Amino acid sequence: GRPLNADPLSRMDALPESAQVEVVELLHASEHYDGWKVNKRPPAIGDRAVVVELLSEDDYIVECSGPDGVDIWLGDFKRRELRLVGNAG
């Protein structure tokens, strides 16, 4: 049979703070991701961002900044909505 970790959803490691991530799924409406009312636009699939706080193994505060360092959005995400991208870029 297949190895147990062949399904990416069956084994998701917790993401460390300051990890670079990509948004791969949005489980909620855009308002859910704007709890601080600071977003210039809602998060989108494909956005690159950084984990700023680990609330639990499944809950993260994630921040997306533009090339100028200005925040584009800051929001709460579930682990499955994020993919670790390493240090590219």
Side-chain angles (χ1 to χ4, degrees):
R2 295 186 324 152
L4 288 175
N5 62 0
D7 176 4
L9 290 178
S10 70
R11 182 185 152 275
M12 286 206 151
D13 296 328
L15 297 167
E17 287 185 14
S18 77
Q20 297 232 358
V21 294
E22 179 180 345
V23 178
V24 294
E25 187 173 3
L26 293 169
L27 297 173
H28 305 283
S30 59
E31 307 82 59
H32 167 86
Y33 302 98
D34 197 13
W36 288 273
K37 305 293 182 226
V38 297
N39 293 359
K40 295 189 172 38
R41 67 163 173 79
I45 289 173
D47 281 354
R48 293 285 179 99
V50 172
V51 174
V52 292
E53 193 170 343
L54 172 62
L55 301 175
S56 77
E57 199 171 285
D58 194 45
D59 296 281
Y60 299 84
I61 298 175
V62 179
E63 178 182 63
C64 178
S65 303
D68 53 4
V70 174
D71 287 354
I72 298 171
W73 53 256
L74 178 71
D76 290 338
F77 286 80
K78 292 292 189 188
R79 174 63 183 90
R80 64 181 281 192
E81 296 177 282
L82 306 169
R83 179 177 71 86
L84 187 63
V85 295
N87 299 322

